[in-house]
Amino acid sequence: MEDAGKDATRFTARSLPGDPRLLATVTNAYLGTRVYHETLHVSGVYNGARGDTHRAILPSPLNVQLEAPAGSGEQLTNTFVLDTNTGSFLHTLEGPSFRASQRIYAHRTLPHVLACSVSITRWATGSWPITVLLQSAFSPESPDLDLQLGPDFQGARYLYGHTLTPEQPGGAQQEVHMLWTPVPPALTLGEGEEDGTWEFLTVVGGSQAEAQACLVDALRLQSRRTLYAAHAQAWAQLWAGCGLDVEGPLRLRQALRGALYYLLSALPQPGAPEYVCHGLSPGGLSNGSRDECYWGHVFWDQDLWMFPGVLMLHPEAARALLQYRIRTLSGALYNAQNLGYQGAKFAWESAGSGLEVCPEAIYGTQEIHINGAVVLAFRLYYHATQDLQLFREAGGWDVVRAVAEFWCSRVEWSPEEEKFHLKGVMPPDEYHSGVNNSVYTNVLVQNSLRFAAALAQDLGQPVPNQWLVVADKIKVPFDPKLNFHPEFDGYQPGEEVKQADVVLLGYPVPFPLSPEVRRQNLEMYEAVTSPHGPAMTWSMFAVGWMELKDPGRAWDLLERSFANVTEPFKVWTENADRSGAVNFLTGMGGFLQAVLFGVTGFRITEAGLTFDPMCPAGVSGVCVSGISYQGSKLDFSFSEGSVTVEVTARAGPWAPRLEAELWPSQDTRSPFPAQLAGYKGHTCRKQGQQVLLQEFPGKIF
């Protein structure tokens, strides 16, 4: 493997970036901050009414910087490391006589806990005291919370309060309760001591009782000296259960590892009890204060850009993301009614209630394609898991049905064309508003309605005739002369577009396209897509060129897809000029899909999980571990010589035995051999057993 001897999992620097937005983030599923930042956020806690709602700022006791005392007389070396293996940020001061290290992390198994530890180790012979300074600017104040100091609890300070303004009139003001162990201005390793470690905790809950209980749990681990060990072990288990790597340049491997790390950091540990998801926002939980990173709102970014990768590697978390949409369905129903339509219209920007909180009405009114992205996520989940309970009992069917009802009430019949039209919309290309028949949006309407009809049959529900009538007769713009799909009625070739739009047809939006039309769409829109658009755009062009088996074009676009990664901690910015949201999970999600679905050719379909791998010019192989499909865990690897699919685990006897079907390669140059492990045909094979098959692409079902 190229650069195989170099570590793609630890990001090291001698100094911090000049732009504090690019500092490493420290998050788990409940708490988020950046290192050396005065603010932390709590999942689902927003302040401000309607379009002003944003993540509430909670002052962070974790904003502590390790420094050497003035006049120490030693030449000290600073090292900063983001260690994705352990989910930790480390700062080390090292000199001839001692080393001092600070570790900051959001606890993986105790999501209400943030921790900071400082260790001092004596190198040189001697017994003199060694002192290091801890710079902290903590102030118990917030522009979003009415905070008060309360009585200490088991050595921890106590701060509590509530948000100032609810999202909706008459809504509840959310409570926040924080306990933390105060940080002294200095720490000293005493005379004769060889080493010492001090740990400082920050614990946040929705009530005093919850915060106290979580602190007790943390103190119990701390007393056993296993607080950090439990966190690191959880990360080790997570990485053992899923992974994504390529045979290729180190910068690509690091970008993949960083993107997967930041996305996994936002999700709960597999098997975590009673996890309630409040959605994934473009900048993640570490960002989203007022006037920052879209204020922590949830967009289509979650459903179209982040969800597919989450589904493949962490289906429990994928289910939780869908439950967020289920929980906010009442807000979506109101949004549709408010616009004069039936069914549900999911908010372009959503917070706690699901009601529209976009500050600019045009987006909330016109970017109705979000409905299609939401239903596409439900569709992928259904085919990948066959989890009927979510749809029969937990509200999934209600979402799919309500979106179908919205589409049928939103379209208009054109007697001239004998087609249904969808007028006055804004497609993903936000440079164009108020257009008619966005091809991307209309194809999503088709997909939503056809999936709703198929799901209704599976659930024994009646299928309204109108659903399939609209699906079959909605206009899908196509120019037969130029052999491409115009973005909307009246689109003129050469008009600049903001971001990936038509090129989303085929993948991630299922839609049959001939290779000639697919190529023409890619070439037409690549030439006119703004270089100033958001980071996720180029990943979908890369997938398209991989579908067409063009390794050179695929590599060029794959490189562009991770160009917004910044050094040294692989933090993403939304735009190439470093503006927009940070740490941009949307861009990471698209980039991960370019490898997870592009290089492998994975497609989640009703009939099975298909694969058709190819490597871009700069990559000679890919390895994906921990793929989840219908209760089984699969490892997939591909190189120039072979494809190997191995079933590594089954969730239980209820998980169906998987079969494999390989097809003759359509690439006449050289059909590679493929290896399948696990279950072949109707014969049950033990986990790990492999058989050689001579052709691919193929399907697992």
Side-chain angles (χ1 to χ4, degrees), residues 107 142 164 181 218 270 279 337 375 385 442-443 500 504 537 640 676 701:
H107 206 281
S142 166
L164 299 176
T181 48
Q337 182 183 23
V375 171
T385 68
N442 287 14
V443 169
L504 300 174
T537 284
E640 244 180 78
L676 175 80
F701 60 98

Side-chain angles (χ1 to χ4, degrees), residues 1 48 64 205 213 330 373 382 430 476 504 577 601 654:
M1 180 180 288
V64 178
S330 60
Y382 181 60
E430 293 175 326
V476 177
L504 300 174
D577 64 359
W654 58 267

Side-chain angles (χ1 to χ4, degrees), residues 35 97 144 181 205 243 252 294 301 310 340 374-375 406 442 499 523 541 544 697:
V35 296
S97 65
D144 299 312
T181 48
L252 171 60
Y294 300 108
D301 305 48
V310 174
V374 169
V375 171
F406 175 82
N442 287 14
Q499 61 188 56
E523 290 184 337
F541 281 95

Side-chain angles (χ1 to χ4, degrees), residues 92 167 231 277 313 364 404 418 446 491 503 506 524 620 652:
T92 302
E167 177 190 324
H231 164 79
C277 176
L313 300 175
E418 295 187 340
Q446 277 188 335
Y491 175 82
V503 298
M524 292 281 285
S620 57

